[in-house]
C-alpha cells in the first residue's frame, strides 16, 4: 500500500512539473513571438493626427502580434530623434517614423541602418541623401492634394462667372518644411503663377492648429479684409480662420463670401462643409495602421515590399457632401 502511494505521488509531481514547464515555455514563446516596434509620432496637433495615432496603435496591438513602444514627439524634431535613438537601444525589430519635417534625419536614420533596423516612414516624407535609409513610405501625395484644391477653385470661379475677377487669396500654411505644407503651398504657388488675376495677399503659418490659425488670420485681418479665398492647409486651421473671419464681420460661403478651402475632410470639417462654412475639403487619409502592419508582416516573412505607397483619397465640397457621408466617417 505504501509503495502504491509513493508511485502515485511521484506520478502527480511529474505531471505537475511537466505542466509547469509547458506553461512557462508557451508564455515565453508568445512574448518572444511579438514583433517589437518603436513608433515616433509628431504630436497631437490636430483631429487628423489623433486619428492617425489611433489607427497605427490599433493595427500594431498585442492581439495582432506586436509589442508597440509609442513616443509622442510633441512637435519637436529633437524629441523624435531622441525617441529613435531609444528604440535602437531597446533593440526594436522595426521603427515607424511620422516625421515632423522633411530634413535633418540623415544621421539618426544611418544609426538605425547600422543597427540593422528597418525604418518605415508614414504620413509625411523625409528628404534624405540616401533613400536606402528607409525601407518603405506610406502616406499622402500632398502636391496632388493641393492641385485638386486649386483645380476645384478654378472651376468654381468659372461656374460663378468670376474667372476674370481679381481673386485675393490668403494661405494659412501648415508646419513649415513638413511635406504636407510643402506640397499644399507649392500647388497654390503654381496656380497663382498660372492665373495673373489670382493674388497671394498674405501667407502665414498656422502650425496645423486652430489657435495658431486663428491668430494668423486675426493678424492678417488687421491689414486687409479684402479676401476672396482662405486656403487653409488643414481642417484645424480652417476652424481657427473661420472664427477670426466671422469675428471680423466677414461671412464664409462659396457665393458672395470668403471661399474657405481646407484639407483632411475630418467629420468636423465635413460638417462645416455641409453648412457651407468650408466650401471645399480635400481628403487626407489618416487610417494608415493596416498598411503599416501589412508592410511589417511582409518584411517579417522575408518578402520584399513596395517602397512608396500613396493612399487613395477623394474630395468633398458644399455641393456633394451629405449627412450620410459624415455619419459614416471613421475620423
Ligand atoms: O501631415 C498630415 C497633416 O498633418 C494633416 O493635414 C494635418 O491635419 C496634420 O496635422
Amino acid at each position: 500500500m505504501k509503495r502504491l502511494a509513493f508511485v502515485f505521488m511521484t506520478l502527480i509531481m511529474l505531471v505537475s512539473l511537466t505542466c509547469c514547464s509547458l506553461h512557462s515555455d508557451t508564455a515565453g514563446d508568445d512574448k518572444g513571438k511579438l514583433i517589437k516596434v518603436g513608433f515616433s509620432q509628431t504630436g497631437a496637433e490636430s483631429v487628423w493626427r489623433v486619428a492617425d495615432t489611433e489607427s497605427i496603435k490599433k493595427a500594431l496591438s498585442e492581439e495582432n502580434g506586436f509589442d508597440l513602444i509609442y513616443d509622442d514627439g510633441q512637435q519637436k524634431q529633437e524629441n523624435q530623434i531622441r525617441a529613435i535613438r531609444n528604440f535602437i537601444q531597446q533593440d526594436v525589430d522595426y521603427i515607424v517614423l511620422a516625421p515632423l519635417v522633411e530634413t535633418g534625419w540623415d544621421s539618426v536614420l544611418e544609426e538605425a541602418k547600422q543597427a540593422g533596423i528597418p525604418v518605415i516612414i508614414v504620413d509625411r516624407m523625409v528628404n534624405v541623401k540616401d533613400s536606402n535609409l528607409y525601407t518603405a513610405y506610406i502616406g499622402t501625395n500632398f502636391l496632388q492634394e493641393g492641385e485638386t484644391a486649386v483645380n476645384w477653385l478654378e472651376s468654381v470661379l468659372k461656374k460663378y462667372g468670376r474667372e476674370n475677377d481679381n481673386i485675393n487669396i490668403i494661405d494659412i500654411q501648415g508646419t513649415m518644411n513638413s511635406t504636407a505644407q510643402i506640397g499644399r503651398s507649392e500647388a497654390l504657388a503654381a496656380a497663382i503663377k498660372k492665373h495673373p488675376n489670382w493674388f497671394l495677399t498674405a501667407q502665414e503659418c498656422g502650425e496645423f492648429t486652430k489657435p495658431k490659425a486663428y491668430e494668423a488670420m486675426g493678424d492678417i485681418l488687421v491689414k486687409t479684409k479684402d479676401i476672396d479665398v482662405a486656403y487653409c492647409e488643414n481642417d484645424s486651421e480652417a476652424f481657427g480662420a473661420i472664427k477670426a473671419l466671422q469675428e471680423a464681420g466677414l461671412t464664409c460661403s462659396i457665393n458672395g463670401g470668403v471661399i474657405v478651402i481646407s484639407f483632411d475632410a475630418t467629420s468636423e470639417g465635413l460638417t462645416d462643409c455641409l453648412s457651407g462654412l468650408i466650401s471645399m475639403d480635400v481628403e487626407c487619409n489618416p487610417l494608415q495602421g493596416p498598411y503599416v502592419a501589412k508592410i511589417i508582416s511582409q518584411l517579417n516573412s522575408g518578402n520584399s515590399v513596395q517602397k512608396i505607397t500613396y493612399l487613395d483619397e477623394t474630395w468633398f465640397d458644399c455641393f456633394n457632401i451629405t449627412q450620410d457621408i459624415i455619419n459614416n466617417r471613421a475620423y
Side-chain angles (χ1 to χ4, degrees), residues 45-46 48-49 123-124 142 180 184 208 233-234 264 284:
E45 75 281 8
S46 61
W48 186 98
R49 182 67 52 198
D123 171 29
R124 303 170 186 172
F142 293 104
R184 292 167 186 169
F208 285 128
E233 295 188 6
N234 81 344
D264 286 355
C284 183

Side-chain angles (χ1 to χ4, degrees), residues 42-50 52 75 99-100 122-125 137 140 142 145 174-175 178-181 184 207-209 233-237 263-266 282-286 288:
T42 59
E45 75 281 8
S46 61
V47 176
W48 186 98
R49 182 67 52 198
V50 174
D52 185 55
Q75 302 299 311
L100 181 69
V122 294
D123 171 29
R124 303 170 186 172
M125 190 36 131
Y137 165 79
T140 288
F142 293 104
E145 280 187 353
T175 304
S178 67
T179 317
Q181 175 273 316
R184 292 167 186 169
E207 297 284 1
F208 285 128
T209 70
E233 295 188 6
N234 81 344
D235 279 352
S236 301
E237 290 187 343
F263 296 85
D264 286 355
T266 57
V282 182
E283 181 179 58
C284 183
N285 189 349
Q288 298 163 349

Side-chain angles (χ1 to χ4, degrees), residues 136-198:
Y137 165 79
I138 299 150
T140 288
N141 187 334
F142 293 104
L143 180 67
Q144 193 173 294
E145 280 187 353
E147 286 168 351
T148 302
V150 293
N151 290 341
W152 174 89
L153 179 62
E154 186 181 75
S155 66
V156 126
L157 291 173
K158 202 165 175 193
K159 178 174 170 173
Y160 287 103
R162 298 179 64 191
E163 67 267 43
N164 297 318
D165 290 2
N166 285 348
I167 303 295
N168 293 327
I169 303 173
I170 305 293
D171 181 14
I172 305 290
Q173 295 178 290
T175 304
M176 299 309 289
N177 192 24
S178 67
T179 317
Q181 175 273 316
I182 295 170
R184 292 167 186 169
S185 296
E186 264 181 26
L188 178 63
I192 287 172
K193 215 170 167 188
K194 181 178 154 199
H195 297 87
N197 58 325
W198 289 18

Side-chain angles (χ1 to χ4, degrees), residues 81-255:
I81 290 175
R82 200 177 311 121
I84 294 172
R85 292 204 167 116
N86 281 335
F87 297 154
I88 296 171
Q89 267 181 1
Q90 292 180 67
D91 198 23
V92 297
D93 300 307
Y94 297 90
I95 290 173
V96 177
L97 168 65
L100 181 69
V101 290
E102 280 200 348
T103 50
W105 301 104
D106 292 76
S107 309
V108 76
L109 293 189
E110 184 60 50
E111 290 167 38
K113 193 179 171 201
Q114 291 305 320
I117 303 171
V119 175
I120 296 144
I121 308 291
V122 294
D123 171 29
R124 303 170 186 172
M125 190 36 131
V126 289
N127 183 349
V128 282
K129 285 194 192 88
D130 175 6
S131 66
N132 289 320
L133 290 179
Y134 61 91
T135 304
Y137 165 79
I138 299 150
T140 288
N141 187 334
F142 293 104
L143 180 67
Q144 193 173 294
E145 280 187 353
E147 286 168 351
T148 302
V150 293
N151 290 341
W152 174 89
L153 179 62
E154 186 181 75
S155 66
V156 126
L157 291 173
K158 202 165 175 193
K159 178 174 170 173
Y160 287 103
R162 298 179 64 191
E163 67 267 43
N164 297 318
D165 290 2
N166 285 348
I167 303 295
N168 293 327
I169 303 173
I170 305 293
D171 181 14
I172 305 290
Q173 295 178 290
T175 304
M176 299 309 289
N177 192 24
S178 67
T179 317
Q181 175 273 316
I182 295 170
R184 292 167 186 169
S185 296
E186 264 181 26
L188 178 63
I192 287 172
K193 215 170 167 188
K194 181 178 154 199
H195 297 87
N197 58 325
W198 289 18
F199 300 98
L200 186 60
T201 306
Q203 190 171 45
E204 281 205 31
C205 181
E207 297 284 1
F208 285 128
T209 70
K210 181 176 174 178
K212 284 275 176 206
Y214 172 73
E215 210 178 293
M217 186 56 96
D219 290 348
I220 293 165
L221 285 160
V222 172
K223 294 174 211 141
T224 180
K225 289 196 174 52
D226 190 5
I227 300 169
D228 298 293
V229 176
Y231 182 90
C232 303
E233 295 188 6
N234 81 344
D235 279 352
S236 301
E237 290 187 343
F239 306 143
I242 290 169
K243 189 169 181 263
L245 288 163
Q246 289 177 328
E247 284 177 6
L250 299 183
T251 55
C252 300
S253 78
I254 197 163
N255 197 8

Side-chain angles (χ1 to χ4, degrees), residues 52-73:
D52 185 55
T53 304
E54 286 314 309
S55 170
I56 293 173
K57 278 186 175 174
K58 195 171 162 202
L60 303 187
S61 65
E62 203 163 322
E63 304 87 77
N64 291 345
F66 297 94
D67 174 13
L68 181 68
I69 310 166
Y70 173 72
D71 190 275
D72 177 343

